Amino acid sequence: MKARTSDIEKAAAVLRAGGLVALPTETVYGLGANAEAPSAVARIFQVKGRPPSHPLIVHIGGAELLDDWVEDVPPAARLLAEHFWPGPLTLVLRRGARVPLEATGGLETVAVRVPDHPVALALLSAFGGGVTAPSANRFGSVSPTTANHVRAELGDAVDFVLDGGPCEVGVESTIVDVTGDAPSILRPGGVTREDLEAVLGRPLAVPSTSRIRVPGQHPSHYAPRARVVLVEPEKVVAEAELAQELGHQVGIFLPPAFADAPVKAHAVVAVPGSMAAYARGLYGFLRELDEQGCDLIFASLPVEEELGLAIANRLRRAAGPRPSGV
């Protein structure tokens, strides 16, 4: 879907006036503000209910603009930007003077990316600056992948919703820390570890904790209203049916290997065999089961390779720091 030029111009005017714009990216819809206006950035935290110490990502219009926003760009960062921008990759670098501390959660590092969506790029060009844009939802809840998701969750708290159609990737960007000697993945996402390692020619760690705070690290994140319960694939059907018998309204993410199995549950989502299709539909599936009134969602983790790593990360965060049993 291509947004009208008049809509893009209106969205740019809202940003210049210090307002908030929900904008499409290839990953999820973002809640955007002028990255150089502390008061506008503060509104993002207020609308989302986001802790002010939780950093935001600055979206820019091209890799050639990177030096305008950061202090130092090491060779590894240049290489990754060259290969993956525009795209679902965020680089963590030293903050430049142009970036207010309100956007970085008080840190001297900043997360930057170039989105791969024609509407987002057109908006960045029309606006002529950087846009801070976390996902356009309440903090900790399921990220939006359509404009209607944004409207349903944030309503009039957003000054303008720029509709660019459904998001193609469906999970957030991969965040890579390139401030030290050894780059590492702080959040798995739309660019796979395997692709990053192929370009850098070295293995990348995916630490469970890091010295740098970045989006998506909160113990409970990407979470629906229903409680998400993670079990082994071969136990999903049995555990879900037991919970249903105990009086729960159960939703189930049915793994491809069990696609033909009869299931006694309130609602069933057949998980796609393709990891790209699964990632694209993940947040929509969670929202669908919420809308159907489920109070428990049973799911299993995919093999943590390629996009399966990002999907597993999101499901773990959605389940939160809770025991795996009912």
Side-chain angles (χ1 to χ4, degrees), residues 33-173:
N34 180 354
E36 297 178 81
S39 60
V41 172
R43 276 196 64 201
I44 290 178
F45 291 94
Q46 179 184 5
V47 168
K48 283 179 63 71
R50 184 185 181 101
S53 61
H54 209 62
L56 306 177
I57 294 173
V58 175
H59 293 68
I60 61 176
E64 70 278 5
L65 302 173
L66 184 58
D67 290 282
D68 295 342
W69 295 91
V70 303
E71 277 295 316
D72 178 48
V73 184
R78 298 269 187 211
L79 186 60
L80 292 174
E82 176 186 341
H83 278 81
F84 298 109
W85 281 359
L89 175 69
T90 294
L91 299 177
V92 176
L93 294 152
R94 291 176 57 200
R95 179 182 71 93
R98 197 170 177 180
V99 183
L101 287 170
E102 286 83 356
T104 68
L107 301 177
E108 289 298 333
T109 54
V110 61
V112 184
R113 88 174 185 102
V114 180
D116 188 15
H117 193 292
V119 175
L121 291 172
L123 174 60
L124 287 163
S125 176
F127 174 57
V131 174
T132 50
S135 56
N137 55 280
R138 303 292 180 190
F139 181 70
S141 68
V142 180
S143 301
T145 52
T146 70
N148 283 339
H149 291 164
V150 179
R151 295 186 184 104
E153 185 155 351
L154 297 182
D156 293 339
V158 182
D159 299 309
F160 190 73
V161 178
L162 188 58
D163 193 341
C167 299
E168 285 296 315
V169 175
V171 293
E172 291 80 359
S173 59

Side-chain angles (χ1 to χ4, degrees), residues 281-300:
L282 175 62
Y283 293 143
F285 298 153
L286 291 171
R287 287 177 179 272
E288 176 187 337
L289 295 182
D290 262 350
E291 290 166 3
Q292 293 192 44
C294 296
D295 66 306
L296 288 178
I297 298 173
F298 283 83
S300 60

Side-chain angles (χ1 to χ4, degrees), residues 148-311:
N148 283 339
H149 291 164
V150 179
R151 295 186 184 104
E153 185 155 351
L154 297 182
D156 293 339
V158 182
D159 299 309
F160 190 73
V161 178
L162 188 58
D163 193 341
C167 299
E168 285 296 315
V169 175
V171 293
E172 291 80 359
S173 59
T174 303
I175 299 178
V176 177
D177 175 16
V178 284
T179 60
D181 295 331
S184 62
I185 297 173
L186 304 187
R187 180 181 71 184
V191 173
T192 69
R193 174 173 57 183
E194 291 83 356
D195 285 344
L196 292 167
E197 290 177 340
V199 167
L200 292 174
R202 61 187 300 174
L204 292 181
V206 188
S208 56
T209 60
S210 71
R211 61 185 175 84
I212 297 176
R213 297 191 307 275
V214 295
Q217 287 182 326
H218 196 269
S220 178
H221 220 77
Y222 319 111
R225 292 188 300 274
R227 177 183 169 193
V228 176
V229 181
L230 300 178
V231 296
E232 296 298 320
E234 63 274 11
K235 297 179 181 178
V236 167
V237 172
E239 293 281 355
E241 290 186 336
L242 174 59
Q244 186 76 23
E245 291 173 5
L246 292 173
H248 290 282
Q249 296 288 87
V250 172
I252 180 173
F253 276 23
L254 194 62
F258 301 91
D260 297 327
V263 183
K264 296 176 182 178
H266 180 67
V268 177
V269 168
V271 172
S274 158
M275 288 295 101
Y278 191 3
R280 187 162 51 247
L282 175 62
Y283 293 143
F285 298 153
L286 291 171
R287 287 177 179 272
E288 176 187 337
L289 295 182
D290 262 350
E291 290 166 3
Q292 293 192 44
C294 296
D295 66 306
L296 288 178
I297 298 173
F298 283 83
S300 60
L301 299 178
V303 176
E304 297 185 42
E305 299 172 354
E306 303 289 343
L307 279 174
L309 179 63
I311 296 168

